[in-house]
Amino acid sequence: MPKEGRKELRTIFLDGEAWRDIHTSIFGRDPSCPSCATRAEWKEVFEKWEYQRVKNYVIWRLSNQPYHSQQLHKLLRERLVCQQTISKVIDECLSSGYLDDETWIESCMRSQKKKNGLRSILLKLQAKGLTAETLQEIRSNWNCPEEEKGAIAYLLRTRYRNKNLNDFREKQKVIASLMRKGYAFEQIQAALEDSTEGD
């Protein structure tokens, strides 16, 4: 039955009592619950049903784009999937190669570091659901000061090429914009000095 005020949720009732909410993205808008002889059997029946629905949903998501396992965990948690099912499906996807966290991080960092600094990248990864421990590991392995400086120099030559960096206010706006992208002030200053020397 649809949940009041939450059109993406449905409530399962057992013997007239609300038992659990489920998400339409996993179970569909008009889910047809499996039948069982007794209420005692229902938990086991539901767990099997949920597992199959979640596995199909995850494979469909992975066919459209790659995910990090922690990102997928967050997604499933938001869709009210129980922890046991989340762990089981993610473990199966990892062991079968559908999920590859290391490759996902490498690809993400490769694309993001061309236009963002480390702080900005970490915030984006945190929003995707990566844990503090994983973010700290990425921070520890980050060693791209020259690449970041080069990325800043590229932005100065392209996006900010029409800015008058000799004007104090204009220069401060550019610095603030680059800092919002996650670049360190020291790196921005160094790139600005290099670009001024080239004039």
Side-chain angles (χ1 to χ4, degrees):
M1 152 177 259
K3 188 174 181 70
E4 188 177 343
R6 297 286 303 275
K7 62 181 181 180
E8 76 280 10
L9 300 183
R10 299 289 183 269
T11 302
I12 295 176
F13 284 83
L14 294 180
D15 299 330
E17 295 179 4
W19 179 72
R20 180 175 159 177
D21 290 336
I22 58 175
H23 203 285
T24 57
S25 64
I26 304 286
F27 293 91
R29 293 191 175 279
D30 189 21
S32 178
C33 296
S35 58
C36 61
T38 66
R39 182 176 181 133
E41 292 173 358
W42 170 249
K43 187 172 183 290
E44 183 181 346
V45 169
F46 178 81
E47 284 174 1
K48 290 179 180 176
W49 184 44
E50 181 184 54
Y51 163 75
Q52 195 56 58
R53 299 293 303 199
V54 171
K55 187 173 183 180
N56 291 342
Y57 175 74
V58 165
I59 290 172
W60 172 74
R61 296 290 302 218
L62 290 171
S63 71
N64 289 300
Q65 72 174 80
Y67 281 83
H68 189 281
S69 62
Q70 292 166 11
Q71 180 188 19
L72 198 56
H73 187 282
K74 177 176 183 273
L75 181 75
L76 295 175
R77 200 173 61 241
E78 289 170 351
R79 281 153 180 73
L80 309 182
V81 178
C82 77
Q83 181 57 49
Q84 181 181 337
T85 301
I86 292 175
S87 298
K88 185 177 180 182
V89 171
I90 287 179
D91 287 348
E92 286 181 4
C93 287
L94 284 166
S95 64
S96 63
Y98 289 128
L99 284 171
D100 185 337
D101 289 347
E102 193 173 320
T103 300
W104 186 91
I105 289 174
E106 286 173 5
S107 175
C108 182
M109 298 302 285
R110 193 165 48 247
S111 64
Q112 285 292 321
K113 69 184 179 183
K114 294 176 183 176
K115 51 191 175 182
N116 292 294
L118 179 60
R119 280 178 296 178
S120 177
I121 294 171
L122 292 176
L123 284 172
K124 289 182 179 185
L125 294 178
Q126 183 180 31
K128 287 180 183 290
L130 271 65
T131 64
E133 184 181 351
T134 300
L135 295 175
Q136 183 54 48
E137 188 178 333
I138 292 170
R139 188 192 304 275
S140 300
N141 293 331
W142 180 265
N143 187 24
C144 306
E146 288 305 312
E147 283 189 49
E148 281 203 340
K149 190 175 166 186
I152 297 168
Y154 175 76
L155 287 169
L156 291 173
R157 290 194 309 271
T158 55
R159 180 173 297 184
Y160 305 111
R161 67 181 179 276
N162 295 324
K163 303 293 183 185
N164 179 8
L165 297 177
N166 293 317
D167 179 271
F168 179 78
R169 286 188 179 179
E170 198 86 344
K171 185 176 181 181
Q172 291 306 305
K173 286 180 182 177
V174 169
I175 291 172
S177 176
L178 289 167
M179 288 184 74
R180 283 194 298 274
K181 287 182 172 293
Y183 295 110
F185 178 74
E186 296 75 15
Q187 289 176 314
I188 297 169
Q189 281 290 88
L192 283 168
E193 286 171 12
D194 288 351
S195 70
T196 305
E197 288 173 9
D199 292 340

